[in-house]
Amino acid sequence: MARRRKKIVFARPSWTKLTLLVLGFPLALTTGLWFFGTHEPFTDPNFFSRNYPASESLREELYYLRTMDRLKHEDELTIQQTLTHTSSVLNIPEPILWCLFFQESRLNHLLGIGDERTSYGLGQFTYFGFYEINYQLHQFNREGKQHLIELLGTDIRPIGPTKTELFNPSSYYYIPTAVVTSALFLKDRNIQLQRALARQNISFDPEVLWLFSVMAYNKGSRAVFSLWNQERQRSGQKGLKRLLQSKTEFLRSLEDSALFHTSLGRIWSEKAARGLAHELLVHMRNITACAVEPQVLRSYGGSL
């Protein structure tokens, strides 16, 4: 007798297009030189590092970028000031947002400006990101537009990868616009994942969900939903809850290439899934090394 397939818990999102654009009026930004973030973590003071990047090798890379003038002081200062204020307004862990930008672009807000590519700038925004911010922001967060105006001074959408007038707030290459827009997109992913879990009456660890939100930022929310469905089919509802409620279980999942490969294989072809799973695992391991307190990574019992 054919085995009955287990019920799929998380459906793919009904939307297919996302988008990001940002306003760009500089806020009243604080002054000072930022070498590493030193603000209080989001919720758990022992998980996200107060000093980021947390990894010594990433600190060395950041120093190299500065000394080689690949990261200009004034650009880094603008990124840090805008990021600090934005993460506070949107209630995003500051280390997560900074490490996301570092992983995506090495803080190069002009990345891709002269290339024929489909991702742009500081947060490596794509067409889908621009579409969401310009036309679908209200679908995820009722306060999205209000936050956009609060952070950038006015609603200057639509926003896009405008290669001319780089100081135009409607250009994603304008640093405050890139920071705020990318943060709103990340916040939307967090809200979307929270809502999906609420429908299933599943509680979660807030820091773990922010890491899943970074995953959704990079590969789409349906990739996260597919991974959750795969974990539930493999380990049952208790296994899924452990993954969502335990920082240790989440960190261990980043060593499980089979979990990522199989779950992404639900969405993409086998060949594409293998490459995308490897890419996503590297991405998340780097984000984790950047944002999570090193002592936590040393103590959880894995090899990250």
Side-chain angles (χ1 to χ4, degrees):
M1 188 167 87
R3 296 178 61 185
R4 181 179 299 176
R5 295 186 64 187
K6 294 184 179 180
K7 180 181 178 182
I8 299 298
V9 180
F10 302 99
R12 295 181 182 180
S14 59
W15 44 268
T16 57
K17 295 183 178 179
L18 310 167
T19 269
L20 274 162
L21 306 183
V22 183
L23 308 166
F25 286 68
L27 315 162
L29 300 175
T30 57
T31 58
L33 178 60
W34 287 80
F35 287 93
F36 304 103
T38 56
H39 281 238
E40 291 297 323
F42 179 60
T43 302
D44 185 345
N46 300 313
F47 187 65
F48 288 132
S49 179
R50 296 180 60 185
N51 300 302
Y52 52 83
S55 162
E56 185 62 32
S57 63
L58 293 179
R59 287 178 180 244
E60 292 174 358
E61 185 175 355
L62 180 60
Y63 176 76
Y64 172 80
L65 293 174
R66 289 169 176 155
T67 56
M68 298 300 293
D69 203 31
R70 293 174 59 180
L71 176 59
K72 297 185 181 302
H73 167 71
E74 58 271 23
D75 291 343
E76 184 181 6
L77 185 61
T78 302
I79 291 169
Q80 184 65 65
Q81 291 172 334
T82 312
L83 183 151
T84 296
H85 185 61
T86 300
S87 61
S88 176
V89 170
L90 298 181
N91 201 24
I92 298 174
E94 190 172 314
I96 280 289
L97 193 54
W98 190 94
C99 292
L100 175 65
F101 291 141
F102 193 74
Q103 176 63 20
E104 292 286 354
S105 66
R106 289 306 189 260
L107 305 184
N108 180 1
H109 70 106
L110 298 178
L111 184 63
I113 193 170
D115 303 332
E116 292 297 327
R117 60 192 315 165
T118 58
S119 56
Y120 308 94
L122 191 65
Q124 286 295 277
F125 253 34
T126 66
Y127 164 81
F128 301 107
F130 289 114
Y131 188 88
E132 177 177 308
I133 295 302
N134 286 326
Y135 306 112
Q136 297 181 327
L137 192 57
H138 63 284
Q139 294 186 14
F140 301 96
N141 183 0
R142 292 181 180 179
E143 298 179 330
K145 180 180 177 179
Q146 176 185 334
H147 286 147
L148 187 69
I149 295 172
E150 177 182 353
L151 290 165
L152 293 169
T154 188
D155 187 347
I156 49 109
R157 294 176 294 175
I159 300 162
T162 309
K163 297 181 180 180
T164 58
E165 300 183 58
L166 297 181
F167 291 97
N168 185 328
S170 293
S171 173
Y172 185 73
Y173 292 116
Y174 182 58
I175 290 175
T177 296
V179 171
V180 173
T181 299
S182 303
L184 284 168
F185 190 74
L186 177 63
K187 179 74 172 183
D188 285 353
R189 303 287 70 74
N190 187 260
I191 292 171
Q192 188 179 24
L193 298 183
Q194 284 193 49
R195 288 176 179 171
L197 293 173
R199 287 193 292 269
Q200 299 295 326
N201 196 29
I202 299 175
S203 60
F204 56 87
D205 181 292
E207 283 78 20
V208 168
L209 197 68
W210 276 112
L211 290 166
F212 275 120
S213 301
V214 170
M215 199 180 295
Y217 180 105
N218 185 258
K219 288 292 181 284
S221 296
R222 66 175 182 161
V224 175
F225 293 152
S226 183
L227 188 148
W228 290 350
N229 284 327
Q230 177 64 26
E231 180 60 19
R232 182 182 184 275
Q233 290 191 343
R234 185 177 72 169
S235 305
Q237 189 79 345
K238 289 183 179 180
L240 174 61
K241 289 182 177 179
R242 284 195 301 269
L243 180 62
L244 288 161
Q245 297 168 3
S246 167
K247 295 179 176 69
T248 297
E249 289 301 315
F250 176 84
L251 294 173
R252 286 176 178 163
S253 76
L254 298 184
E255 301 180 36
D256 191 348
S257 58
L259 172 63
F260 280 74
H261 177 216
T262 303
S263 62
L264 294 188
R266 294 171 175 263
I267 305 171
W268 291 284
S269 69
E270 205 285 343
K271 181 179 180 181
R274 186 177 299 277
L276 290 170
H278 175 75
E279 181 182 298
L280 183 56
L281 276 170
V282 170
H283 182 83
M284 292 308 302
R285 289 167 183 168
N286 289 341
I287 292 284
T288 301
C290 177
V292 174
E293 187 65 38
Q295 184 176 353
V296 173
L297 296 180
R298 288 193 295 267
S299 65
Y300 88 96
S303 59
L304 292 180

